Amino acid sequence: MREAWTEGVDARVRHDYDLFNNVSTIAGGIYFYHALQDRTDERGETPDAESGMLRNLNTGETWDGAIFAENRFHFGRLSIVPGMRLEFLNQSVDEQLNVAKTSNGDPLADQSDFHFVPLFGLGLGYTLVEGQPILSAPLIAGEKGAEAKNPPAPVVTGFGPPRVELYGTVSQAYRPNHLRRTWCRPARVQVVNGDLKEGKALQFEYGVRGKPFPYLNFDVGGFYFTFTDQIGEVILPNGFTSTENVGDARYIGFEAATELDILALINGGAPNPYGNLTLYGNVTLLDAEFTSGPNNGKTPAYAPNYQVKTGAIYSYKNTFKLALLGTLVDDEFGDDGDSFEGFIPAYNVWDLTAEFRFWKGRAGVFAGIRNVFNESYWGEVREEGIMPALPRNYYGGFEFSSSEA
């Protein structure tokens, strides 16, 4: 059982300014997150027991913060976006009870870890097809709807279809060590490398996206990621499992996404008075492999060859929404050693959600069914074994907002 207390802040600012007769934008902000979590593990006398003898008790705490900024420079159809993020992360874990460690004479975990990582990125975009400008009449001071003798020119607030854009990005990323999973192992067969480094990545993405028709959006592209010092697990000759920086890996793949509004298509591209019926699809094809280290040639954890997300969403104005969304995932492994115990069979799961809003969008009710077809599967493997996903389950609630939707 886990009990967690969390709080956070995400504050952002944005400013548009004129540069060489083009509107450029600078944006930035700060992010803060704090979490305190208590975890208890009990073992019952029967498989369906809801309580039993306490075997593990530990407390984990995370402090996460960041300062980030980016500037979008526009030069006609070309846009250049440099960005930076300064990441601060502090983790600590305090283990009060671990029956397996105590019986083997191993010390309980009392660890803390701090990381400061500067990250940088660069994005490029070039508009192949500009599309039709969306104009908005500016407000006229003192007129309140009356005609002015010399009204200002309309303001371009965006561009409609057809619009097609080429894009590319290169950015840095990192993946920190998860202290609780590393140090709070239930058995002595786990060995932890004392000088673990955070995993670092260099990511390249490129593609083309657009809205050729009012009822159709698309985004097609590829990606290439390289990871160094990736954290994983290695099975030692004595049967022990070592958590360490397992080496370098590369990920290469293709991704395509599209949205088609059937009702707008039937209506010739104009908004349909009966609402929107959107068919959604996203497919990711991936080839991932370790290129160095003890797992050289093997497949990294949680890297399926394909993943598909698809479904249909019906919405009527800002009042009603009904969605059926599915996720289909290929076979994968839950560990970096491609072991039999870490194998995760392919699965597909569907969710149904409904939402109704009223009082000018200030209030609403929602309900849903997760795992509609009651698929029996698991998508995660830990040291305790597989983590079975929940069977079909239901939820519902209501929400209020101080502003109109």
Side-chain angles (χ1 to χ4, degrees):
M1 183 181 69
R2 300 183 183 183
E3 292 183 331
W5 297 264
T6 64
E7 61 271 352
V9 174
D10 190 342
R12 301 169 183 253
V13 294
R14 167 179 167 167
H15 174 66
D16 297 332
Y17 62 96
D18 181 78
L19 180 66
F20 304 124
N21 296 321
N22 290 276
V23 177
S24 293
T25 303
I26 184 171
I30 59 172
Y31 164 81
F32 165 78
Y33 172 80
H34 173 250
L36 183 65
Q37 185 181 87
D38 291 331
R39 172 175 172 174
T40 57
D41 295 336
E42 298 179 352
R43 179 177 295 177
E45 296 181 357
T46 60
D48 59 350
E50 297 183 358
S51 62
M53 185 183 71
L54 182 64
R55 297 185 60 83
N56 297 295
L57 172 62
N58 57 71
T59 299
E61 188 171 23
T62 300
W63 298 86
D64 186 15
I67 302 172
F68 52 90
E70 68 175 26
N71 198 111
R72 181 182 295 273
F73 297 100
H74 276 287
F75 304 101
R77 296 191 175 194
L78 175 67
S79 62
I80 304 174
V81 189
M84 57 79 70
R85 182 182 181 95
L86 304 179
E87 189 84 25
F88 306 85
L89 176 64
N90 187 81
Q91 302 177 89
S92 63
V93 61
D94 180 20
E95 199 171 29
Q96 292 92 41
L97 175 66
N98 187 316
V99 173
K101 283 186 176 181
T102 302
S103 62
N104 289 325
D106 294 332
L108 298 180
D110 183 9
Q111 300 290 329
S112 63
D113 192 22
F114 175 78
H115 291 282
F116 166 69
V117 184
L119 303 170
F120 301 93
L122 178 67
L124 299 174
Y126 185 79
T127 303
L128 293 175
V129 181
E130 187 65 69
Q132 299 297 319
I134 300 174
L135 304 177
S136 176
L139 295 175
I140 304 172
E143 297 296 329
K144 284 195 117 174
E147 294 186 2
K149 294 181 180 179
N150 296 301
V155 176
V156 178
T157 58
F159 293 91
R163 181 177 175 84
V164 180
E165 179 187 16
L166 295 174
Y167 66 89
T169 63
V170 55
S171 60
Q172 295 175 307
Y174 89 110
R175 186 172 297 173
N177 175 31
H178 194 301
L179 275 189
R180 171 169 285 179
R181 289 191 181 181
T182 302
W183 290 98
C184 296
R185 301 292 190 173
R188 193 179 180 181
V189 297
Q190 181 70 27
V191 177
V192 180
N193 191 320
D195 59 350
L196 279 175
K197 303 176 182 178
E198 69 269 12
K200 297 181 180 179
L202 186 62
Q203 306 177 348
F204 299 86
E205 296 184 65
Y206 43 88
V208 58
R209 60 193 171 202
K211 190 179 181 74
F213 306 103
Y215 46 81
L216 177 65
N217 291 312
F218 76 91
D219 190 336
V220 179
F223 56 87
Y224 181 81
F225 299 167
T226 60
F227 280 88
T228 58
D229 294 326
Q230 185 155 320
I231 297 174
E233 296 181 350
V234 177
I235 300 177
L236 303 177
N238 58 7
F240 281 41
T241 300
S242 174
T243 298
E244 58 186 66
N245 295 107
V246 296
D248 302 341
R250 65 106 179 102
Y251 297 70
I252 184 170
F254 166 83
E255 188 169 18
T258 185
E259 292 183 358
L260 175 64
D261 188 345
I262 298 296
L263 296 184
L265 172 62
I266 295 173
N267 208 36
N272 196 301
Y274 296 103
N276 306 89
L277 177 59
T278 303
L279 300 182
Y280 167 79
N282 179 292
V283 58
T284 301
L285 305 179
L286 174 65
D287 179 68
E289 184 180 38
F290 281 104
T291 57
S292 69
N295 289 332
N296 186 28
K298 294 184 178 181
T299 302
Y302 304 109
N305 288 335
Y306 71 80
Q307 180 171 299
V308 179
K309 296 183 179 180
T310 186
I313 304 173
Y314 172 76
S315 60
Y316 181 75
K317 298 182 179 180
N318 289 324
T319 303
F320 178 73
K321 180 185 290 186
L322 179 67
L324 177 64
L325 302 175
T327 301
L328 297 80
V329 182
D330 191 20
D331 297 341
E332 57 184 330
F333 291 94
D335 68 331
D336 293 308
D338 300 355
S339 67
F340 173 80
E341 293 80 5
F343 180 70
I344 301 175
Y347 62 89
N348 63 82
V349 60
W350 293 80
D351 299 327
L352 180 66
T353 62
E355 178 182 345
F356 179 75
R357 303 194 66 84
F358 50 91
W359 194 23
K360 296 183 179 180
R362 293 191 181 96
V365 294
F366 59 89
I369 306 175
R370 299 188 184 96
N371 196 359
V372 173
F373 302 108
N374 205 27
E375 175 88 353
S376 178
Y377 72 100
W378 65 92
E380 184 179 6
V381 178
R382 297 183 183 176
E383 67 277 2
E384 302 96 328
I386 65 172
M387 304 296 291
L390 290 174
R392 182 189 300 119
N393 58 94
Y394 309 86
Y395 67 92
F398 55 89
E399 56 185 352
F400 295 95
S401 175
S402 59
S403 60
E404 295 184 12

